[in-house]
Amino acid sequence: QVATSAGPDAVSAFEAAGVSGITSDGTDITITSGDIIFGTAEKGINLGVTANTDSNTLDDYEEGTWTAQLADDGGDNMVMNGAQTTGTYTKVGNLVTATGYLGTTSLGDASGSIQIRGFPFAVASGSASYPAGSAGYGVNFAITAGTSINLIVSPGMTYAYLPIWDATGGTTFMTAAQWTANGNIIIGVTYRAA
């Protein structure tokens, strides 16, 4: 152990132990090179509090990609366009934002209501955990002009249905016939992970 306090003396102790890249003005500590890495799992940074509380601990951050698959709700896959299968995501704590530009070249055996599968984390459980996303772009669909497409991800799942605002009372789920063989879509959704 080379330091027990977060002030100039602590910085001096680190420097005496051969650690460089740490400076202090007596109030703030600045890391001028390298990263902060925790030696054990499930540690984090407490934000906005003076004591360690789980609800104020940032203990997870991740960036990555996810592989999308369009399918019907019976599990029959469409044929994906190889250039349009990969989405990106960022996870901060338990909050996930996933995006993607997705497309197909064939309906395969898909019929009935369709899903976008493969989201990087399952949605948190509970009736208050139904996240909705949006489609910012779509092409080659067999839908009525003036209608819009959204996303809804069910709690505990890693797939989204595509509700269409095309019914007098609200929405219906998009079907493979409405998607068509060479459909393309740009989507985004933010949800709480399980």
Side-chain angles (χ1 to χ4, degrees):
Q1 182 174 354
V2 296
T4 57
S5 61
D9 291 340
V11 173
S12 298
F14 276 114
E15 291 171 346
V19 178
S20 61
I22 301 174
T23 62
S24 174
D25 61 5
T27 301
D28 299 320
I29 292 179
T30 302
I31 308 295
T32 57
S33 63
D35 297 317
I36 298 173
I37 300 173
F38 296 99
T40 58
E42 298 182 5
K43 301 297 182 184
I45 298 172
N46 293 108
L47 302 174
V49 293
T50 57
N52 189 336
T53 57
D54 288 344
S55 61
N56 291 85
T57 301
L58 178 60
D59 58 2
D60 189 20
Y61 180 87
E62 185 177 329
E63 298 175 1
T65 60
W66 59 284
T67 302
Q69 176 64 59
L70 276 106
D72 64 21
D73 54 8
D76 295 314
N77 291 337
M78 297 184 191
V79 179
M80 300 296 293
N81 180 338
Q84 293 172 279
T85 60
T86 303
T88 60
Y89 73 87
T90 301
K91 183 174 186 284
V92 181
N94 66 358
L95 196 63
V96 180
T97 298
T99 62
Y101 181 20
L102 315 175
T104 59
T105 58
S106 167
L107 293 178
D109 294 326
S111 62
S113 298
I114 60 171
Q115 304 167 341
I116 297 175
R117 297 183 167 200
F119 286 102
F121 303 93
V123 175
S125 297
S127 60
S129 299
Y130 279 93
S134 63
Y137 169 83
V139 67
N140 298 326
F141 296 148
I143 59 176
T144 303
T147 60
S148 62
I149 301 171
N150 294 306
L151 284 81
I152 183 169
V153 190
S154 297
M157 303 302 174
T158 58
Y159 58 81
Y161 282 99
L162 302 173
I164 302 178
W165 289 93
D166 63 351
T168 301
T171 61
T172 61
F173 287 146
M174 189 176 198
T175 66
Q178 291 172 308
W179 177 272
T180 78
N182 59 343
N184 291 264
I185 197 168
I186 295 176
I187 58 113
V189 62
T190 298
Y191 63 93
R192 296 199 177 278

